[in-house]
Amino acid sequence: MTIRENLEQLERINLSRYAMHSADSLGRLKDEEQCDIRPVFQRDRDRILHSKSFRRLKDKTQVFLTPEGDHYRTRLTHTLEVSQNARTIAKALRMNEDLVEAIALGHDLGHTPFGHAGERALNAVYRGGFDHAKQSVRTVDLLEKGGQGLNLTMEVRDGILNHQTEGNPSTLEGKIVRFSDKIAYIHHDMDDAIRGGILTEKDIPKEICDVIGYSLGERLDTFIHDIVTTSYDRNDIMMSEPVAKAMKDLRKFMFEHVYTNPDAKAEESKAEMLIQTLFTYFRHHLELLPEDLRTLIDIGEPEEKVVCDYIAAMTDRFAIAKYEEIYIPKSWHG
């Protein structure tokens, strides 16, 4: 018996009856030989962690574009906070931590530069429409490793695709990540907004604080504890009604005071223009795309979609540099 098989047996003994067991995975898009020491979801987690798209998250905007300060979140730190929240919940509920972590680490791999401003910009110019969850799946299925993809399991792919509010993951582990994503961005976006002087703790409505707490730490603790206690030994992941309502009200408050705040979002129109200008330029200069993307066009992928792939994969810094290279005059040296 291999080490992997021993670990799979331990899952049968230790995990909840509602957990997804590695040995029961529906498999991968392409069959491949099993690892002798790692169950399938651990292997997926490792593949995501070592991918180029994961490393690029370090230079992609979370909420605040090009903030001046070392402590504002990026898309990478957001991803790590989602993962930590999700693992805490999964461990308490005896769910599959490897599956939870793989979904959490992969859920934003297809996100654009400049946060949701970049997503809106691509959605406006690409006729097929742009959704970062679908792009994340396309990234792991096709774009990674020069067009080979990461060949992840169906369960991880499903969790990535369905991590947004309107999603309906097929596993409880996917549902844990879906909740953890919302908890993470509400928590850290408020922290960043307070750090940036856009909000103070006193601005948060008292009726919300009465339910979930009067500080960042209290609110995070309330959300996680509530999910664990409400979902314990149940075939679902949920919040109690009062906490779910408070979270919904807090999310609405954040949209009104942070996500659409003119001070916080002053640069977003510039970012949207930059993204759309690059899309139009490369749409007419396909020969300038990287070789692996040109190969995708050669095998039948739509040209516009591949240009969209290129723009979406850019970091904030690379997108700005590429725009300057194309459109900003340089000094002439005789």
Side-chain angles (χ1 to χ4, degrees):
M1 181 177 289
T2 65
I3 293 172
R4 170 184 54 81
E5 289 169 331
N6 278 325
L7 292 173
E8 290 171 348
Q9 279 198 347
L10 288 174
E11 286 185 0
R12 299 283 191 203
I13 297 168
N14 296 326
L15 295 186
S16 164
R17 54 181 167 160
Y18 302 118
M20 180 69 212
H21 294 168
S22 301
D24 296 334
S25 170
L26 295 175
R28 306 180 183 277
L29 292 177
K30 295 173 284 190
D31 288 337
E32 59 180 68
E33 187 177 345
Q34 289 261 39
C35 177
D36 60 340
I37 62 173
R38 293 172 298 167
V40 289
F41 303 135
Q42 183 184 346
R43 201 175 186 190
D44 282 1
R45 187 273 315 277
D46 295 350
R47 290 179 180 184
I48 291 167
L49 194 63
H50 292 292
S51 67
K52 290 181 179 178
S53 52
F54 183 79
R55 293 196 292 278
R56 288 195 298 267
L57 296 177
K58 73 181 187 301
D59 192 30
K60 292 196 178 194
T61 291
Q62 173 59 25
V63 170
F64 298 98
L65 295 179
T66 59
E68 293 184 2
D70 295 332
H71 301 122
Y72 291 92
R73 270 69 169 195
T74 65
R75 189 62 56 178
L76 178 60
T77 58
H78 160 73
T79 294
L80 296 176
E81 290 184 40
V82 173
S83 175
Q84 185 57 51
N85 292 342
R87 288 181 58 208
T88 298
I89 295 168
K91 183 181 287 289
L93 295 176
R94 292 188 296 119
M95 294 292 154
N96 194 314
E97 275 191 75
D98 289 337
L99 175 54
V100 157
E101 189 172 17
I103 296 170
L105 294 179
H107 82 281
D108 270 353
L109 291 181
H111 219 298
T112 56
F114 309 118
H116 290 287
E119 187 168 19
R120 287 194 303 271
L122 279 184
N123 191 54
V125 292
Y126 172 52
R127 286 178 291 182
F130 183 86
D131 175 84
H132 78 268
K134 293 178 181 177
Q135 187 68 18
S136 294
V137 175
R138 181 172 169 85
T139 299
V140 299
D141 282 355
L142 179 66
L143 302 179
E144 268 292 335
K145 296 179 70 174
Q148 296 180 55
L150 301 180
N151 196 29
L152 303 182
T153 58
M154 300 302 180
E155 292 78 15
V156 172
R157 295 174 65 255
D158 169 82
I160 291 173
L161 181 64
N162 289 287
H163 77 267
Q164 298 182 94
T165 300
E166 64 273 15
N168 185 27
S170 64
T171 64
L172 296 192
E173 286 82 0
K175 292 182 179 182
I176 288 172
V177 174
R178 179 174 164 271
F179 267 114
S180 298
D181 183 38
K182 287 195 288 186
I183 292 169
Y185 72 67
I186 289 173
H187 170 77
H188 61 52
D189 293 351
M190 182 171 290
D191 187 27
D192 284 353
I194 292 172
R195 177 175 291 107
I198 294 168
L199 285 179
T200 69
E201 281 286 352
K202 294 179 180 178
D203 294 324
I204 304 166
K206 182 177 182 298
E207 57 270 23
I208 295 176
C209 295
D210 285 344
V211 177
I212 58 176
Y214 285 82
S215 70
L216 288 160
E218 286 180 4
R219 288 188 287 272
L220 181 61
D221 190 64
T222 297
F223 286 143
I224 291 176
H225 272 80
D226 186 76
I227 290 175
V228 171
T229 56
T230 307
S231 307
Y232 197 81
D233 204 27
R234 300 180 70 168
N235 191 20
D236 200 1
I237 304 299
M238 61 186 73
M239 282 181 167
S240 66
E241 190 172 327
V243 173
K245 182 182 184 305
M247 182 186 215
K248 183 178 179 181
D249 292 344
L250 185 59
R251 189 168 178 264
K252 181 181 178 183
F253 172 84
M254 290 292 290
F255 270 95
E256 292 172 352
H257 293 84
V258 177
Y259 301 137
T260 57
N261 183 293
D263 292 330
K265 299 300 183 178
E267 300 297 302
E268 285 197 350
S269 60
K270 298 178 186 178
E272 291 181 27
M273 178 277 295
L274 185 153
I275 291 292
Q276 293 175 351
T277 303
L278 287 178
F279 180 88
T280 301
Y281 179 83
F282 284 106
R283 180 69 185 84
H284 293 94
H285 294 279
L286 298 176
E287 74 280 1
L288 298 179
L289 293 176
E291 183 180 354
D292 59 326
L293 294 181
R294 296 200 308 271
T295 300
L296 292 180
I297 295 173
D298 292 341
I299 63 175
E301 288 290 321
E303 292 177 358
E304 276 195 347
K305 182 61 179 171
V306 175
V307 173
C308 195
D309 293 334
Y310 183 46
I311 304 299
M314 291 181 177
T315 62
D316 296 12
R317 184 170 19 190
F318 184 84
I320 292 169
K322 190 58 67 174
Y323 182 89
E324 290 178 343
E325 175 188 317
I326 296 168
Y327 290 106
I328 306 301
K330 298 177 179 62
S331 299
W332 183 74
H333 299 283

